[in-house]
Amino acid sequence: MPLFHGLSPEIESHVATERLPLVFWAMLLYFLVPLGAYVLSSYASSAPGWRRWRWFQFGLSVVYTLTNTAHFVVDILIPDSRSDQVLLMSVMLVLGLLINFESWRWCHTNSSWQILISALSCDAPDQRAYLVA
């Protein structure tokens, strides 16, 4: 992201050469963790044995929201901050907060199969129609 601030994206001059692999692995991991969480969330939404994953997902979303908050604050405080970068980080922060909220709600619901079964067994026809629509 240094290009957004008019800086060179060169890392070698800022980090010791022996530490570069660690920096690159950390960057890769930071981007792959949410991707893996997305895939695992699809399992957690349908499999009853994945209930603990919901809480891990919530904790992970909080960690990412905190890192986005720090990034947002730094973008505001740097002297040459660009409005598009601040806007991007504010959107990322709002999306992170929405994910936190939904993850919190997800942790406090029954499994999706239990919700579906209880909804399909209800006697009110208007509720069944809502599920079909």
Side-chain angles (χ1 to χ4, degrees), residues 25-113:
W25 277 108
M27 290 169 30
L28 180 65
L29 184 65
Y30 190 81
F31 288 112
L32 286 181
V33 166
L35 181 61
Y38 179 73
V39 171
L40 290 175
S41 292
S42 63
Y43 291 112
S45 66
S46 60
W50 285 72
R51 183 112 178 127
R52 285 190 207 151
W53 168 252
R54 294 179 183 192
W55 284 102
F56 180 76
Q57 173 82 12
F58 173 69
L60 189 64
S61 70
V62 168
V63 168
Y64 271 78
T65 299
L66 291 174
T67 59
N68 283 338
T69 302
H71 196 286
F72 177 68
V73 169
V74 168
D75 280 345
I76 289 175
L77 295 178
I78 60 172
D80 63 341
S81 67
R82 292 179 41 168
S83 59
D84 58 342
Q85 180 69 16
V86 173
L87 176 65
L88 173 66
M89 287 313 301
S90 62
V91 169
M92 293 296 292
L93 189 57
V94 168
L95 290 176
L97 291 171
L98 290 172
I99 290 171
N100 291 343
F101 177 70
E102 289 301 320
S103 293
W104 179 259
R105 286 183 35 191
W106 190 34
C107 289
H108 288 79
T109 61
N110 293 331
S111 71
S112 56
W113 289 112

Side-chain angles (χ1 to χ4, degrees), residues 2-41:
L3 290 175
F4 287 119
H5 303 288
L7 303 172
S8 171
E10 180 186 40
I11 295 176
E12 286 85 6
S13 64
H14 302 288
V15 177
T17 307
E18 62 273 0
R19 297 199 56 179
L20 280 176
L22 180 64
V23 171
F24 291 138
W25 277 108
M27 290 169 30
L28 180 65
L29 184 65
Y30 190 81
F31 288 112
L32 286 181
V33 166
L35 181 61
Y38 179 73
V39 171
L40 290 175
S41 292

